[in-house]
Amino acid sequence: MSNRVVCREASHAGSWYTATGSQLNAQLEGWLSQAQTTKRPARAIITPHAGYTYCGACAAFAYKQVDPSITRRVFILGPSHHVPLSRCALSPAEVYRTPLYDLRIDQKVYADLWKTGMFERMTLQTDEEEHSIEMQLPYIAKAMESHKDDFAIVPILVGALSESKEQDYGKLLSKYLADPSNLFVISSDFCHWGQRFRYTYYDDAQGEIYSSIEHLDKMGMSIIEQLDPISFSNYLKKYRNTICGRHPIGVLLNAVEELKKNGIDMNCSFLNYAQSSQCRNWQDSSVSYAAGALIVH
């Protein structure tokens, strides 16, 4: 038997973001220098997962709230874009590569999660094809660089969960969310608008299409800030907004709900919002991005 370490390659480096470490480092530093620290230390952040030219600046507002001196574990919850999945899945890898430095998976937490019987094992191919977790890795590496030998990651691929499953996973993960040495990274873009996304909701009272999209997204963001999973669920049912990380967000809201029962006081706020472009006519398309942070008092 070989003892070779199973590594997940940085498969989107060179296309979705630069594969050159020094260049990537400079870009991340540039974006982070433009963001303010207002909600530190965040226990959870909501952050986009598009190519960095589109969302790098927005994501910086979330990562700026991370305190590396207290963080020992980073849970990353990303939606599955390519494989049908009705539960959550864990990676077969032990190490995730980034152009900055390698991140190791916390095998003890993985073993504890595996024991619950609630997780599937994704293949390495599925893991490497998926971008929702990978796009967080360089930012995590950058935010944590001053303590790079002191932390591990817990990547979780989140399937198309029913509301009751979101509740189950929220309950399960709530004990980890309660621990100040853990950070949760919730990977999600917001509205995917246009015919290519089969979503063209438009409220003409808002004026231009891009204003209608912003109004719709900000309605969802303010519901997330209320930390109420049922309201968020109802909003999604009503407007069908194409928030691709709605299930990871749902799991977080349910974990928060569980902690609220124990009298833990939290608040969530969004710090930045952006669109890939401004839609003005029916031929246009855009994706929205938002950066948010959850603080535990």
Side-chain angles (χ1 to χ4, degrees), residues 28-282:
L28 296 172
E29 263 172 21
W31 288 319
L32 286 163
S33 72
Q34 301 298 307
Q36 294 75 43
T37 303
T38 50
K39 292 282 168 193
R40 202 167 185 222
R43 187 72 54 88
I45 57 175
I46 295 173
T47 172
H49 54 235
Y52 281 0
T53 48
Y54 296 106
C55 76
C58 175
F61 283 81
Y63 279 100
K64 192 77 171 202
Q65 317 313 321
V66 173
D67 183 351
S69 70
I70 60 170
T71 304
R72 294 294 163 264
R73 229 169 273 101
V74 182
F75 287 75
I76 312 156
L77 275 61
S80 174
H81 286 84
H82 305 295
V83 295
L85 188 64
S86 65
R87 301 200 297 162
C88 289
L90 303 176
S91 172
E94 294 157 86
V95 166
Y96 273 21
R97 295 201 185 286
T98 85
L100 301 178
Y101 59 89
D102 293 349
L103 305 177
R104 40 181 199 89
I105 290 181
D106 189 317
Q107 294 300 333
K108 185 188 176 316
V109 172
Y110 249 30
D112 290 345
L113 295 177
W114 192 245
K115 271 188 226 139
T116 63
M118 290 168 68
F119 292 85
E120 296 176 24
R121 185 78 73 188
M122 59 179 134
T123 64
L124 193 59
Q125 183 186 353
T126 292
D127 199 352
E128 289 182 347
E129 283 173 359
E130 180 55 63
H131 62 274
S132 72
I133 292 173
E134 181 181 342
M135 296 311 292
Q136 308 306 337
L137 304 176
Y139 252 122
I140 290 168
K142 182 64 189 163
M144 293 298 297
E145 68 182 346
S146 61
H147 289 72
K148 67 178 180 190
D149 299 321
D150 304 331
F151 82 100
I153 58 169
V154 183
I156 298 174
L157 189 63
V158 179
L161 307 178
S162 63
E163 282 173 56
S164 70
K165 278 192 183 151
E166 285 181 3
Q167 227 173 345
D168 295 342
Y169 286 105
K171 270 189 186 143
L172 173 69
L173 295 174
S174 64
K175 69 168 187 184
Y176 298 103
L177 185 65
D179 181 344
S181 67
N182 291 333
L183 168 73
F184 275 71
V185 173
I186 307 299
S187 183
S188 184
D189 296 334
F190 274 71
C191 185
H192 296 60
W193 194 93
Q195 290 168 17
R196 72 192 186 100
F197 298 119
R198 297 188 191 83
Y199 186 77
T200 50
Y201 169 87
Y202 174 55
D203 171 5
D204 57 9
Q206 302 304 322
E208 296 277 13
I209 293 172
Y210 66 82
S211 301
S212 165
I213 296 169
E214 178 168 354
H215 184 257
L216 175 71
D217 278 330
K218 290 195 166 165
M219 205 190 313
M221 288 154 67
S222 75
I223 288 168
I224 293 167
E225 287 176 341
Q226 292 162 22
L227 299 174
D228 178 2
I230 292 165
S231 299
F232 184 57
S233 226
N234 290 340
Y235 160 83
L236 291 171
K237 283 178 193 149
K238 182 172 180 184
Y239 296 102
R240 305 255 170 238
N241 192 1
T242 42
I243 300 172
C244 54
R246 57 192 172 274
H247 298 297
I249 293 169
V251 170
L252 175 71
L253 294 179
N254 278 287
V256 165
E257 189 80 347
E258 198 59 27
L259 295 188
K260 282 201 288 202
K261 290 178 191 166
N262 304 332
I264 298 176
D265 183 29
M266 287 158 283
N267 85 305
C268 173
S269 42
F270 280 92
L271 310 166
N272 189 259
Y273 175 78
Q275 294 175 351
S276 59
S277 60
Q278 291 193 324
C279 292
R280 290 187 163 83
N281 64 57
W282 297 101

